[in-house]
Amino acid sequence: MSLSNYGVPEFVLTVNGRLIQEFGETATPVTFSAIDPKAAIRRGQGGDAVALYRKNPGKSVSVALNPGSNDSKYMQDLMNQRAIIEITYGQIGTQESATGSEGMIVNVGETGRGGMTITDDVFIMEFNKWDEKKGGAY
């Protein structure tokens, strides 16, 4: 058994080909969550059921960046341009990776300024297509 490294130095994230590195203080600066379920079961009153599958369940990705950073400006520019985006990520050493396409930045997170603590710049992206691989060899 080996020790897997999920730290920032082993994490590679690109948005439209640009390497994103200026993560903020948030403990987990990049999060992934499903938009829709991949499958559902429709249960009838007679006891039978029907399986329903979604071809593209989609994925929501949030990225927390350091305020004032070049990466934050890049993401804000993409949002202002209503750009269609593609994202890739890889976790070196764990063989985990994903590619998202047909995406866009749909919103930003809460912004806190004007004090001794400020919030990260959070960009929320949604992707219609998502291809993901987790884990290493059996």
Side-chain angles (χ1 to χ4, degrees), residues 39-111:
I41 295 178
R42 182 185 184 278
R43 298 180 61 229
Q45 293 183 34
D48 291 337
V50 176
L52 305 165
Y53 298 95
R54 196 177 291 274
K55 185 175 183 179
N56 294 324
K59 197 67 110 172
S60 179
V61 179
S62 293
V63 178
L65 300 173
N66 207 25
S69 68
N70 290 332
D71 285 344
S72 181
K73 180 181 179 347
Y74 174 75
M75 296 295 285
Q76 184 67 52
D77 288 347
L78 289 175
M79 186 170 141
N80 292 346
Q81 296 163 11
R82 298 180 180 172
I84 302 300
I85 57 175
E86 181 175 293
I87 190 172
T88 63
Y89 90 86
Q91 192 71 51
I92 299 169
T94 64
Q95 300 178 21
E96 183 176 303
S97 65
T99 300
S101 59
E102 296 179 13
M104 58 191 315
I105 301 172
V106 298
N107 214 339
V108 294
E110 182 180 70
T111 301

Side-chain angles (χ1 to χ4, degrees), residues 10-21 23 30 32 61 63 74-75 85-91 96-103 125 127 129-133:
E10 303 295 319
F11 183 74
V12 178
L13 177 73
T14 67
V15 175
N16 280 6
R18 179 190 173 107
L19 181 62
I20 303 297
Q21 297 179 302
F23 300 114
V30 182
F32 309 92
V61 179
V63 178
Y74 174 75
M75 296 295 285
I85 57 175
E86 181 175 293
I87 190 172
T88 63
Y89 90 86
Q91 192 71 51
E96 183 176 303
S97 65
T99 300
S101 59
E102 296 179 13
M125 300 169 275
F127 297 90
K129 294 185 179 176
W130 190 260
D131 181 32
E132 186 171 47
K133 294 170 183 57

